[in-house]
Amino acid sequence: MAIFGVRPDKEQALAERMEKLGIREADIVEKFIRSGGHGGQNVNKVATCVYLKHLPTGFEVKCQQERLQSLNRFLARRILVDKIETAILGKKSEVEQRIAKIRRQKRKRSKRAKEKMLADKRHISEKKQGRTFKPDLSDG
């Protein structure tokens, strides 16, 4: 039976990750808050925002990504598990890896690398210039 309104295999995967990390449902405090922002009547009437606090670690998570409370409960647990896993295993999370990659891409090139790149561009430009057809207009 689906508790969170997602596929059973996703619920099973989340339960296995929680068990592997030693996270028990009893250690999680769950509260529901009325969401803000877009969504109209549904947002104004239903408490779809989910707040979770893991008591042993003190990690807190708020989730109001979806309109359904059950789906937000699942997503909030997944975010909480990601946070705890990052803290326990000390590995970089996917988000941190993506940010680091963007930072590397935006980093200023060294002078030598820039000169090499520009030299290559000039070389390619000269090759293309040599390919263009130039009609002889001197005969008149």
Side-chain angles (χ1 to χ4, degrees), residues 67-126:
R67 287 179 50 146
L68 300 172
Q69 187 187 74
S70 58
L71 195 52
N72 282 331
R73 288 180 69 210
F74 172 78
L75 293 172
R77 277 173 174 72
R78 202 162 66 182
I79 294 166
L80 184 69
V81 168
D82 287 342
K83 270 187 162 184
I84 294 170
E85 188 176 49
T86 303
I88 290 173
L89 302 179
K91 69 173 187 175
K92 281 192 171 182
S93 67
E94 290 177 28
V95 176
E96 288 174 15
Q97 287 176 345
R98 194 170 62 242
I99 290 169
K101 182 180 179 183
I102 291 168
R103 194 174 291 129
R104 280 194 307 274
Q105 288 172 343
K106 290 185 176 182
R107 189 170 51 205
K108 194 174 173 183
R109 284 192 176 95
S110 70
K111 207 173 226 180
R112 188 173 174 191
K114 193 173 182 180
E115 286 170 3
K116 185 176 187 288
M117 181 198 61
L118 291 174
D120 288 344
K121 284 179 97 173
R122 271 193 297 275
H123 176 71
I124 291 168
S125 173
E126 288 166 4

Side-chain angles (χ1 to χ4, degrees), residues 7-116:
R7 291 194 327 246
D9 58 322
K10 286 188 174 187
E11 278 189 32
Q12 183 64 36
L14 179 65
E16 286 170 7
R17 279 182 70 195
M18 287 174 70
E19 189 177 323
K20 189 173 77 177
L21 293 169
I23 303 168
R24 301 178 317 156
E25 280 291 329
D27 294 338
I28 298 174
V29 174
E30 185 174 42
K31 294 179 185 175
F32 304 104
I33 309 160
R34 231 175 239 164
S35 300
H38 303 294
Q41 205 170 22
N42 185 66
V43 164
N44 296 329
K45 283 186 169 184
V46 184
T48 54
C49 181
V50 178
Y51 166 86
L52 296 180
K53 182 172 183 176
H54 186 242
L55 296 175
T57 58
F59 285 130
E60 297 178 354
V61 170
K62 244 187 202 178
C63 182
Q64 61 177 39
Q65 292 175 3
E66 300 295 329
R67 287 179 50 146
L68 300 172
Q69 187 187 74
S70 58
L71 195 52
N72 282 331
R73 288 180 69 210
F74 172 78
L75 293 172
R77 277 173 174 72
R78 202 162 66 182
I79 294 166
L80 184 69
V81 168
D82 287 342
K83 270 187 162 184
I84 294 170
E85 188 176 49
T86 303
I88 290 173
L89 302 179
K91 69 173 187 175
K92 281 192 171 182
S93 67
E94 290 177 28
V95 176
E96 288 174 15
Q97 287 176 345
R98 194 170 62 242
I99 290 169
K101 182 180 179 183
I102 291 168
R103 194 174 291 129
R104 280 194 307 274
Q105 288 172 343
K106 290 185 176 182
R107 189 170 51 205
K108 194 174 173 183
R109 284 192 176 95
S110 70
K111 207 173 226 180
R112 188 173 174 191
K114 193 173 182 180
E115 286 170 3
K116 185 176 187 288

